[in-house]
Amino acid sequence: MVKLNILDKQFRLFIPAEKIQQEVQRIADQINTDLKNEDVVFLGILNGAFMFASDLLRKINFNSKISFVKLASYEGTRSSGNVRELIGVNEDISNKHLIVIDDIIDTGHTLEAIIEELSKRKVAGVKVAALLFKPAAYQKNIPVDYAGFKIPNDFVVGYGLDYEGFGRNLTSIYTLTK
Ligand code: 5GP
Ligand code: MG
């Protein structure tokens, strides 16, 4: 599928499913090397990261735990900058190495909110993995340790990312047609 309509918007194919899977494998390989000897808890950010987290964790080859938090900052096709926590961290994360998993890092507001929350707990370390990263939109200095595709500042859907709640189930990523 090269073109896609969701509600009032048209999208075109941007990153095909096979390329996404290759990139997820590359990120998993790095994490498998870097953190194999640590006590790791992966922390997926719902809703968007559910698919990336699910595929990534299947490729992790050491014993580790996964938990999810739910944050929301997007309204329609724009980041609101106002991050709300809907489900918090209810796992024992003290002395653990946390790997925050997000679908995409845009302005970085969401990332900053979660990092701030984690800094109040006695964790051993925090790393960040994101499948997509928009360098031109990023406003923070928090390093994105495992960044997949660096993309332009356009609105994308698929592979966990939605437009008005739709499109999360797509296995490829699509970009808004202007
Ligand atoms: P940030 O707080 O970094 O501005 O935004 C992060 C969150 O906004 C992501 O986790 C994602 O849920 C959402 N987001 C950012 N850019 C896009 C995009 O291009 N498409 C969609 N569907 N969601 C996005
Ligand atoms: Mg998200």
Side-chain angles (χ1 to χ4, degrees):
M1 189 168 45
V2 175
K3 280 191 177 149
L4 168 80
N5 287 296
I6 301 176
L7 302 175
D8 58 324
K9 304 247 186 288
Q10 196 181 61
F11 297 85
R12 64 178 165 77
L13 182 62
F14 182 46
I15 309 173
E18 312 80 72
K19 277 194 69 184
I20 296 173
Q21 291 306 319
Q22 282 171 18
E23 190 58 25
V24 176
Q25 186 64 60
R26 194 189 64 79
I27 294 170
D29 290 345
Q30 277 191 304
I31 295 174
N32 283 331
T33 307
D34 295 351
L35 290 141
K36 59 172 179 270
N37 299 319
E38 309 298 341
D39 209 351
V40 171
V41 178
F42 290 90
L43 199 63
I45 313 289
L46 295 173
N47 293 323
F50 82 95
M51 211 178 263
F52 175 43
S54 162
D55 283 344
L56 182 68
L57 265 288
R58 274 178 262 213
K59 296 171 168 53
I60 295 299
N61 58 21
F62 54 85
N63 287 332
S64 53
K65 293 184 178 178
I66 180 149
S67 187
F68 290 91
V69 295
K70 184 162 184 171
L71 302 173
S73 80
Y74 247 56
E75 282 157 14
T77 61
R78 298 189 50 207
S79 186
S80 71
N82 168 13
V83 181
R84 291 174 302 140
E85 189 181 89
L86 307 176
I87 302 174
V89 187
N90 30 33
E91 190 89 9
D92 179 16
I93 55 170
S94 49
N95 303 315
K96 305 279 193 275
H97 280 263
L98 274 284
I99 303 182
V100 175
I101 305 178
D102 211 348
D103 49 356
I104 186 164
I105 295 177
D106 184 356
T107 62
H109 289 128
T110 307
L111 182 61
E112 186 180 62
I114 184 78
I115 296 284
E116 223 163 76
E117 178 62 33
L118 295 176
S119 68
K120 295 179 198 152
R121 323 275 282 255
K122 289 196 168 46
V123 299
V126 181
K127 292 209 181 298
V128 178
L131 183 68
L132 301 160
F133 181 43
K134 293 180 181 172
Y138 195 51
Q139 298 170 11
K140 310 291 172 189
N141 297 315
I142 303 158
V144 181
D145 306 278
Y146 305 103
F149 302 100
K150 300 192 180 56
I151 65 165
N153 200 3
D154 298 324
F155 185 74
V156 296
V157 295
Y159 200 73
L161 294 135
D162 72 303
Y163 171 54
E164 299 289 0
F166 295 105
R168 294 194 195 275
N169 57 311
L170 298 161
T171 54
S172 298
I173 293 171
Y174 296 79
T175 190
L176 188 63
T177 312
K178 275 157 210 146

